């Protein structure tokens, strides 16, 4: 169990909330300079447990534990986005953490490091010398004095004013808080980042010299890929990015693409489902989708549309998230899904508590194949048929077959297991999301 927040941490969060109430919102269009990268960028994503010699079930169990914490953080940000009077304000906490690492480099000469990829927050940051409070990382901590392309951002910088909270001293100083009381603070700076073979100058990032919390130890910082002005996608100005996630137990990396490289693969373009990206003014960084219903087997469940609707106070709704492993559905919708699978799967229901999952079935030891009901998510304008590997896991050691969907309250999440071997394209100019089946290790 995590220790209770210290008095200092509570005071910091109070100061953050107070400052946010006075800050105007900032749209991407106000930021002016963007780094246009017409040729596109490709980098590889690595699962955080890569090389750990875990079974598929063990990988899933570790991810579920992290996912439950992340779900609580995501819900907390949405709840805190509205004050007691119902007025919308920007939330002082962010999601943080994630399931994938991206390899990149910073500075001139470039210093390589692995950062957590997070589609639920915006700030790009890494640990910097001289550290007053830094956690251990596997790569050298970045030393700004060794880079010829490093410069501090002035307090008048649009990226500084876009921060949820900042202070002005020798430059723009920031404090960025996450939902589990983890924080990063330091100075906002500009630097050259190297993504694969592509160098991009003047990326605004947090040079963190005081980083506290347990959520960052997987990487040497974090790359925010949300919809806000501080995120990498907003700063690149490419307007489009995509990823294609290999299976959780695959040894191959997953491609992350920006700009012109992010176009849907021509071989599957005609099969792509296209659905609108929904804006939540209370949580502008999250990628919301309109989930209208779900089919299990041949049965359309008839879930009331209000179940997954985005509420006026910013709560509810469904987000698509690369940092949460399994899908979490609002209670009323989940109960219908669970009931349908239990009645249509021709296997006895079993106790799956040891797996960390809610609905499991016992598979006979002499059974070579198992038939499972088909699962279709009906998003607005797009029906997404999922392959069985994306929503069921079979473990030979326990003889269990389990559903990779669980119950939530206050927010629903379309997780990364359900996105395996699907090309997912985020088009921020057209405000749509495209999804098509593809073999990700061949992209």
């Amino acid at each position: 169990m995590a220790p209770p927040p210290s008095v200092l941490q509570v005071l910091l969060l109070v100061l953050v909330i107070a400052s946010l109430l006075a800050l105007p919102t900032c749209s991407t269009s106000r930021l002016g300079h963007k780094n246009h990268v017409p040729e596109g960028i490709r980098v590889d994503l690595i699962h955080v447990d890569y090389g750990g010699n875990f079974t598929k079930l063990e990988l899933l169990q570790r991810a579920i534990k992290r996912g439950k914490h992340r779900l609580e953080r995501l819900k907390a940000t949405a709840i805190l986005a509205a004050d007691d009077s119902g007025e919308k304000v920007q939330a002082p906490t962010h999601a943080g953490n994630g399931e994938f690492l991206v390899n990149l480099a910073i500075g001139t000469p470039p210093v390589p490091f692995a950062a957590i990829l997070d589609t639920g927050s915006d700030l790009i940051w890494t640990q910097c010398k001289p550290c007053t409070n830094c956690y251990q990382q596997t790569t050298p901590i970045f030393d700004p004095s060794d880079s010829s392309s490093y410069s501090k951002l002035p307090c008048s910088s649009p990226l500084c004013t876009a921060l949820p909270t900042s202070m002005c001293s020798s430059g723009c100083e920031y404090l960025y808080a996450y939902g589990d009381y983890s924080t990063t603070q330091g100075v906002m700076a500009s630097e050259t980042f190297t993504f694969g073979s592509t160098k991009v100058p003047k990326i605004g990032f947090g040079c963190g010299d005081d980083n506290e919390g347990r959520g960052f130890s997987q990487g040497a910082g974090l790359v925010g890929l949300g919809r806000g002005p501080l995120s990498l996608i907003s700063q690149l100005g490419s307007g489009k990015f995509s990823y294609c996630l290999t299976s959780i137990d695959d040894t191959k990396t997953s491609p992350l693409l920006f700009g012109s490289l992010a176009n849907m693969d021509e071989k599957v373009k005609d099969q792509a489902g296209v659905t609108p990206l929904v804006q939540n003014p209370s949580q502008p960084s999250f990628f919301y989708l309109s989930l209208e219903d779900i089919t299990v087997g041949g049965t359309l469940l008839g879930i009331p549309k209000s179940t997954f609707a985005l509420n006026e106070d910013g709560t509810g709704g469904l987000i698509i998230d690369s940092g949460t492993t399994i899908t979490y559905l609002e209670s009323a919708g989940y109960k219908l899904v669970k009931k349908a699978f239990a009645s249509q799967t021709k296997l006895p229901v079993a106790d799956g508590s040891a797996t960390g999952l809610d609905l499991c079935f016992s598979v006979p030891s002499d059974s070579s194949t198992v038939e499972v009901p088909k699962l279709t998510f009906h998003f607005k304008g797009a029906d997404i048929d999922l392959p069985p590997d994306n929503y069921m896991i079979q473990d030979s050691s326990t003889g269990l077959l389990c559903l990779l969907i669980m119950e939530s309250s206050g927010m629903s999440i379309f997780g990364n297991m359900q996105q395996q071997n699907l090309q997912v394209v985020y088009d921020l100019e057209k405000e749509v999301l495209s999804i098509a089946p593809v073999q990700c290790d061949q992209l």
Side-chain angles (χ1 to χ4, degrees):
M1 182 178 292
S6 66
V7 173
L8 176 59
Q9 288 173 321
V10 172
L11 286 174
L12 282 172
L13 289 178
V14 170
L15 287 172
V16 171
I17 294 170
S19 63
L20 289 171
L21 291 172
L23 282 175
T25 57
C26 182
S27 65
T28 307
S29 61
R30 289 176 54 193
L31 293 182
H33 174 77
K34 292 180 183 179
N35 287 287
H36 292 279
V37 188
E39 71 275 17
I41 294 174
R42 177 185 176 122
V43 292
D44 291 325
L45 301 178
I46 305 169
H47 194 270
V48 294
D49 285 327
Y50 175 80
N53 197 28
F54 300 109
T55 66
K56 187 172 183 177
L57 180 59
E58 288 171 338
L59 287 168
L60 183 63
Q61 289 171 325
R62 290 169 62 85
I64 287 173
K65 287 182 181 179
R66 293 188 295 262
K68 287 180 179 177
H69 290 299
R70 183 173 174 83
L71 174 63
E72 294 307 313
R73 295 179 193 179
L74 290 165
K75 289 196 297 184
T77 64
I79 292 169
L80 289 171
D83 65 10
D84 292 337
S85 64
E87 294 179 4
K88 296 182 177 64
V89 297
Q90 187 173 335
T93 58
H94 307 83
N97 210 321
E99 288 296 298
F100 293 92
L101 299 174
V102 55
N103 287 320
L104 63 159
I106 183 173
T108 307
V111 177
F113 71 103
I116 300 166
L117 185 78
D118 183 19
T119 52
S121 63
D122 295 330
L123 184 67
I124 306 165
W125 65 270
T126 189
Q127 298 198 115
C128 289
K129 291 183 178 180
C131 274
T132 58
N133 189 11
C134 285
Y135 57 88
Q136 188 174 2
Q137 61 181 59
T138 57
T139 53
I141 293 176
F142 178 60
D143 188 344
S145 64
D146 290 340
S147 174
S148 62
S149 49
Y150 174 88
S151 63
K152 292 183 179 180
L153 288 180
C155 298
S156 59
S157 165
L159 287 178
C160 184
T161 58
L163 285 161
T165 186
S166 62
M167 296 158 283
C168 190
S169 181
S170 58
C172 176
E173 299 180 1
Y174 76 93
L175 168 65
Y176 206 79
Y178 295 88
D180 61 350
Y181 301 106
S182 298
T183 59
T184 175
Q185 54 185 315
V187 298
M188 284 297 292
S190 173
E191 187 53 283
T192 295
F193 278 70
T194 304
F195 305 92
S197 59
T198 306
K199 292 183 182 295
V200 183
K202 298 181 180 179
I203 293 288
F205 77 106
C207 202
D209 57 15
D210 186 355
N211 311 297
E212 301 182 48
R214 62 179 182 174
F216 308 135
S217 58
Q218 301 146 308
L222 191 144
V223 173
L225 208 59
R227 304 181 76 174
L230 292 162
S231 77
L232 178 61
I233 184 64
S234 295
Q235 291 197 57
L236 289 177
S238 55
K240 184 185 294 185
F241 74 93
S242 77
Y243 52 71
C244 197
L245 304 178
T246 57
S247 174
I248 192 172
D249 60 340
D250 200 321
T251 57
K252 295 185 179 179
T253 58
S254 302
L256 171 65
L257 310 168
F258 296 92
S260 59
L261 294 181
N263 293 327
M264 183 64 70
D265 187 271
E266 288 295 330
K267 298 190 291 291
V268 298
K269 194 172 183 179
D270 293 339
Q271 305 171 43
V274 182
T275 186
L277 287 169
V278 179
Q279 289 273 9
N280 180 357
S282 296
Q283 276 301 321
S285 296
F286 292 170
F287 295 97
Y288 283 85
L289 304 177
S290 292
L291 178 60
E292 299 185 330
D293 211 338
I294 296 172
T295 291
V296 177
T299 304
L300 182 67
L301 300 183
I303 302 172
K305 288 191 176 182
S306 59
T307 304
F308 304 116
L310 183 60
N311 301 319
E312 288 187 5
D313 66 357
T315 60
L318 175 141
I319 66 170
I320 180 170
D321 183 41
S322 65
T324 304
T325 298
I326 66 172
T327 286
Y328 290 89
L329 296 178
E330 185 70 34
S331 179
Y334 172 74
K335 288 176 179 176
L336 290 174
V337 171
K338 180 180 179 179
K339 181 179 179 181
F341 269 98
S343 64
Q344 295 185 37
T345 303
K346 298 175 181 178
L347 293 168
V349 175
D351 179 10
S353 56
T355 66
L357 293 163
D358 182 47
L359 179 61
C360 293
F361 303 90
S362 180
V363 180
S365 57
D366 59 350
S367 177
S368 57
T369 59
V370 176
E371 289 188 11
V372 298
K374 182 180 177 182
L375 178 63
T376 303
F377 278 74
H378 300 286
F379 296 102
K380 184 177 182 179
D383 296 334
I384 306 300
D385 296 322
L386 296 182
D389 283 347
N390 285 30
Y391 59 91
M392 301 292 281
I393 183 170
Q394 184 173 356
D395 180 56
S396 57
S397 64
T398 60
L400 293 177
L401 176 74
C402 300
L403 180 66
L404 299 175
I405 299 174
M406 291 184 72
E407 183 177 10
S408 72
S409 176
M411 172 183 280
S412 299
I413 300 175
F414 192 67
N416 65 53
M417 285 289 287
Q418 283 63 51
Q419 300 174 55
Q420 290 179 155
N421 288 311
L422 297 174
Q423 187 176 7
V424 184
V425 180
Y426 296 72
D427 191 327
L428 304 187
E429 293 180 348
K430 295 182 180 179
E431 291 288 335
V432 296
L433 182 94
S434 302
I435 304 178
V438 68
Q439 198 62 36
C440 292
D441 59 10
Q442 297 178 10
L443 280 184

